[in-house]
Amino acid sequence: MAYRAEYIWIDGTEPTAKLRSKTKILKDGASLPIWGFDGSSTNQATGDKSDCVLRPVWSCPDPIRGGDDVLVMCEVLLVDLTPHPTNTRAKAQAMAEKYADQEPWFGLEQEYTFYKNGRPYGFPESGFPAPQGGYYCGVGADEIFGRDVVEAHTDACIDAGIEISGTNAEVMIGQWEYQIGPLGTLEVADQLWVSRWLLYRIAEEFDVMATLDAKPVKGDWNGAGCHTNFSTKAMREDGGWDSIIAGCEALGKVTAKHIAGYGHDIESRLTGAHETQRHDQFSYGVSDRGASIRIPWQCEIDKKGYLEDRRPNANCDPYVVCGLMVETICGALA
Ligand code: ADP
Ligand code: MN
Ligand code: MN
Ligand code: MN
């Protein structure tokens, strides 16, 4: 029997790239070939030289179609098979390979917001819902909107073999989070992208829209981030504390460079008023959710573990974020 492969890739939309996908029907047992698409329709090519190449980098069972069908994360190449300018995975791969001996792990906390009828899910037709306070990890129909979508998305990730490690309702009404990892640099980023595609795709079934906007509602409403938890082998081993501190210090030397790679509109989210340090300042501390980098309390007790970079936006490109963290931290620890 033939099977279907959904080829997924990242387009060239500015300032935040979008996911695209199309279906390839393959003969029974056939492996996943290189494929192509019209780059002039995705801001990745001009009409006269429109062909771009899709190369599969990670695949998993398709939890929606089932059977032998698969989802296929791809990177975009030029027709000479070199990386397309929008291909951020290639640089992350170079960093992952350069510092493979340090065995970096990542756990990504993907926050997002549901929209229905053109407003955040749970917002009344006019005016605002009750202020923030009861929604985070809440329960009950007055506080929770979209749990059915969340459960269906979680099932889909588990069925696909994605390393989803938790979910929770967030601080703003209609806002949610799930975590992917811990996994290696490329694995966590590939799987986060596929989990995002599944989120949009599953939400279609519920006539709900999911957005990764960093600051969906202006004013006294939390933005949406992608806290990036990071460790190296040295940090995880006994005596890892010194490496954790060295990692924080290294991050503090390149604040602007990291902020520039952490997602569009980060200035609106990191004002210093809603958790996490301002975008143009740097600080780290144990249990400090007002800092740029938080060291979990357990790590101070154990004197080993990991650090949490709280700054990346929900709409960040995990290839860029993870590549930068490996470059900066592993570069300093090498
Ligand atoms: P928070 O308290 O910030 O909401 P979460 O529980 O949402 O924390 O996320 C913590 C993340 O850290 C999880 O994705 C988890 O897998 C990840 N994590 C745990 N240990 C490590 C480690 N040693 N290295 C990297 N990530 C880790
Ligand atoms: Mn979390
Ligand atoms: Mn969160
Ligand atoms: Mn966090």
Side-chain angles (χ1 to χ4, degrees), residues 104-111 136 163-168 170 177-183 188 227-232 235-236 289 294 296 299 304-308 310:
W105 288 2
F106 288 89
L108 304 180
E109 302 173 49
Q110 177 69 66
E111 294 180 343
Y136 172 73
E163 285 285 333
I164 187 165
S165 45
T167 71
N168 60 270
E170 266 304 334
E177 171 182 316
Y178 62 91
Q179 302 100 34
I180 302 289
L183 285 167
V188 83
H227 296 169
T228 300
N229 299 275
F230 175 86
S231 63
T232 61
M235 293 180 187
R236 296 187 293 269
R289 289 179 195 264
R294 176 179 67 103
C299 300
K304 63 180 176 184
Y306 63 99
L307 59 85
E308 175 194 49
R310 302 177 54 78

Side-chain angles (χ1 to χ4, degrees), residues 82-113:
T82 59
H84 187 277
T86 60
N87 179 341
T88 51
R89 189 181 192 274
K91 188 177 176 210
Q93 182 169 13
M95 288 300 135
E97 283 168 6
K98 183 170 179 187
Y99 296 112
D101 59 316
Q102 294 191 36
E103 298 179 29
W105 288 2
F106 288 89
L108 304 180
E109 302 173 49
Q110 177 69 66
E111 294 180 343
Y112 61 94
T113 309

Side-chain angles (χ1 to χ4, degrees), residues 238-304:
D238 284 345
W241 181 257
D242 291 348
S243 299
I244 295 172
I245 297 301
C248 294
E249 292 288 337
L251 287 168
K253 294 197 178 87
V254 284
T255 301
K257 178 181 172 187
H258 276 246
I259 290 291
Y262 280 6
H264 173 65
D265 204 23
I266 196 163
E267 299 80 6
S268 299
R269 175 174 150 259
L270 297 188
T271 61
H274 296 93
E275 305 188 1
T276 313
Q277 183 57 276
R278 285 178 56 88
H279 62 90
D280 53 1
Q281 289 174 26
F282 181 85
S283 59
Y284 65 90
V286 174
S287 293
D288 188 355
R289 289 179 195 264
S292 315
I293 312 294
R294 176 179 67 103
I295 303 171
W297 65 274
Q298 187 71 47
C299 300
E300 190 184 39
I301 291 173
D302 297 343
K303 295 286 174 234
K304 63 180 176 184

Side-chain angles (χ1 to χ4, degrees), residues 104-137:
W105 288 2
F106 288 89
L108 304 180
E109 302 173 49
Q110 177 69 66
E111 294 180 343
Y112 61 94
T113 309
F114 285 134
Y115 270 70
K116 188 148 175 113
N117 303 321
R119 54 182 185 273
Y121 201 6
F123 272 55
E125 228 167 295
S126 61
F128 288 91
Q132 293 183 163
Y135 307 122
Y136 172 73
C137 298

Side-chain angles (χ1 to χ4, degrees), residues 26-81:
L26 290 155
K27 297 262 183 297
D28 189 14
S31 58
L32 298 168
I34 276 182
W35 201 17
F37 68 97
D38 167 17
S40 72
S41 298
T42 62
N43 203 29
Q44 285 166 304
T46 52
D48 56 332
K49 291 194 176 91
S50 67
D51 285 327
C52 290
V53 175
L54 293 174
R55 179 158 65 195
V57 293
W58 189 79
S59 70
C60 62
D62 183 335
I64 298 168
R65 288 173 171 152
D68 291 334
D69 296 345
V70 292
L71 303 178
V72 186
M73 189 66 209
C74 298
E75 64 177 342
V76 177
L77 306 177
L78 300 167
V79 289
D80 65 2
L81 302 188

